[in-house]
Each structure stands twice: as structure tokens, then as C-alpha cells.
Amino acid sequence: MPQLTELLPLEAIRLDAPAPDWQGAIRAAGDLLVANGVSTDTYTQEMLRTVEENGPYIVVAPGFAFAHARPSPAVRHTGMSWVRLVEPVPFGHDTNDPVRLVVALAATDASAHTQAMGALARLLADPETVDALDQAPTPESVRQILVGAEEPAGSADSAESAELAQPAATKAAGGSGGTHTILTVCGNGVGTSLFLKSTLDKVLDRWKWSRYINTEATDTISAKGKASEAVAILTSREIARALGDVGVPVRVIEDFTNAKEVDAALRDLYDV
């Protein structure tokens, strides 16, 4: 499974790029994908259309947009691009605007890049790393920071997490030793939902609930069919509106990299 730096070559990193609006920011990221042979101009149009149809759900953290579309013939091979804007632009997100960093993903399938997404989510969850990326003077210095993000972060066990494990974990699994499923949902199931899944998995690991709760990243259409098999859905405000009433609790997460926000959503769901 390719790592983050394998999907993001030096040539795909552009710093202090101008963009008049969110469309221009996505086009700048798409142009890098095209220049590096990852995708065609058609895929860039598909990324734009995704936001036009679903709203700014790709703005998954303050100042950060993760542009992507479904796997399509316009994708030649899985790859990414990284564009730091010279001036931030609004995407129309209620809480995470304006955006200065746009990372674009073009994927040939929905699973081969999960390790890279986990590394990127860990990186963007660390304020010091985000600040370093914001100040990085060259593409080379950005790459050095990304290499560090590929080292898996250890999870310290707190007294509270051990206390949560039992009997609350048994309650989470229905008291029968089985498992629950929580869905993380985005418009395409290959990008932002993986960010949220990574953060959710980290919280469940800390709680020692991973053995009781399965997590699955999926798209809006599939989520409607899978909702009956899940206990809850975590997603963005825009996708929550698109889902409507699916018969299970839907919790809106504003910052997909924020473990505290996901932690609070789980506590609410399970009355912990």
C-alpha cells in the first residue's frame, strides 16, 4: 500500500499559488495532477462538480480542503497534489473557511490509499505540524515534514480510557460480545470519509473499543443502504443534509482531524 510521499512527489507540491476563488484553487491542484500524469483535465472538472453538487464538505479542517472525486477513467494512476495558496479563499464552509491549503487526490479505487490518508490525517491533527507546513519555505521542506508524518503515532493509554473499556464497551456491543458498525460518510467514499475514519479509529483505540466497533468509510449513496446495519453515521453538515433521515443517529463533525470533537460525538452516542 503506497505511503503519503509515494503519492505526492516533489513536482506535485506548489507553494504560494494565486487563486481568485475556490474554483481556481481546485483547478490549481488539478493542474498539478495533470502535469504529473496522474489524471486528465476531465478529472479536475469532476472535482469541481463534486463541490457544486454536494457543497463545501471537502473543507474538512480549518483552512484545509481535500479535493477529490470518484474513481473514473480520467484517473491514470493514484496520486496527489499539494497547493498552498498565497492568500486564503472562501469555499462557503460555515466554520472552516477560509482555505489556504488544498490537497487533491485522484484514486483508481477506494482502498489503495488508506495508509496515506491516515498519515495525512495525523499530520493535520497536530497544530505544530500545521504551523510548520504553513511556514515551509520550499517544496523540499514540505516533503521533509510529510516524511515525518508517515511514522505511526503511538497512543498512550490513559486511566480514563481503561475505565471506559468495561462495562461501557460491552454496552456498546449490545452486551452480547458482538460488534457495532459506525459509518463515516462523504460524497465519494474515497477521501474525506477516510480522514474522519482515521480520527474515529484513533479515538476508539484510545478507549479500547476497537474490538467492539467496526468503522467503515463510504459514500452518500451506499450509506443510505448500509445505514440499517450501522448504529450511527459521522459526517459533514452538507452530507448530513443530503442523507436526510436514514433511521440511525447522524452526528455532524466540523473538523475531521479533531479527536476531541469525535470523542464528544461518541460520548453522546453511547451516553458515556
Side-chain angles (χ1 to χ4, degrees):
M1 189 174 292
Q3 293 195 356
L4 180 59
T5 49
E6 293 178 79
L7 298 178
L8 186 66
L10 192 63
E11 297 77 16
I13 300 172
R14 185 181 179 191
L15 304 183
D16 302 326
D21 47 32
W22 69 264
Q23 293 94 333
I26 290 179
R27 287 192 187 97
D31 288 346
L32 283 176
L33 294 176
V34 174
N36 284 277
V38 171
S39 61
T40 67
D41 289 325
T42 298
Y43 185 75
T44 302
Q45 295 305 313
E46 291 169 357
M47 290 194 294
L48 290 165
R49 191 158 51 248
T50 292
V51 179
E52 291 167 354
E53 293 176 352
N54 298 299
Y57 79 91
I58 66 169
V59 186
V60 298
F64 171 60
F66 191 67
H68 62 288
R70 293 182 183 276
S72 79
V75 179
R76 291 172 173 160
H77 62 85
T78 299
M80 298 171 66
S81 65
W82 182 287
V83 175
R84 191 180 71 193
L85 302 174
V86 65
E87 293 290 342
V89 298
F91 273 59
H93 195 280
D94 291 340
T95 60
N96 292 334
D97 268 347
V99 169
R100 193 181 183 205
L101 175 62
V102 180
V103 176
L105 168 72
T108 57
D109 60 61
S111 60
H113 54 287
T114 55
Q115 182 174 327
M117 294 304 95
L120 187 57
R122 288 195 303 271
L123 180 151
L124 295 174
D126 179 16
E128 291 186 4
T129 304
V130 171
D131 185 63
L133 288 167
D134 192 52
Q135 301 298 324
T138 64
E140 290 83 359
S141 57
V142 169
R143 281 272 295 181
Q144 290 177 355
I145 297 170
L146 298 182
V147 169
E150 291 175 343
E151 294 299 324
S155 59
D157 291 333
S158 66
E160 181 184 21
S161 66
E163 184 178 318
L164 286 169
Q166 293 289 349
T170 302
K171 175 185 175 183
S176 62
T179 59
H180 279 181
T181 296
I182 295 178
L183 304 177
T184 61
V185 184
C186 73
N188 301 299
V190 298
T192 56
S193 58
L194 288 172
F195 265 81
L196 185 50
K197 181 182 185 301
S198 176
T199 305
L200 173 59
D201 287 341
K202 181 169 70 174
V203 174
L204 291 173
D205 285 346
R206 191 175 70 239
W207 282 24
K208 297 182 179 178
W209 278 25
S210 297
R211 76 182 73 174
Y212 305 103
I213 299 179
N214 296 322
T215 62
E216 181 180 349
T218 190
D219 62 275
T220 310
I221 296 173
S222 298
K224 292 181 178 180
K226 294 178 178 180
S228 62
E229 302 171 3
V231 295
I233 289 174
L234 302 187
T235 189
S236 67
R237 191 172 303 277
E238 294 81 9
I239 298 301
R241 293 192 192 106
L243 286 171
D245 184 2
V246 290
V248 298
V250 177
R251 295 293 183 268
V252 169
I253 305 297
E254 299 290 355
D255 182 350
F256 282 19
T257 67
N258 191 324
K260 289 183 178 179
E261 188 177 353
V262 173
D263 184 289
L266 285 178
R267 290 174 185 274
D268 178 58
L269 284 167
Y270 287 104
D271 193 25
V272 172

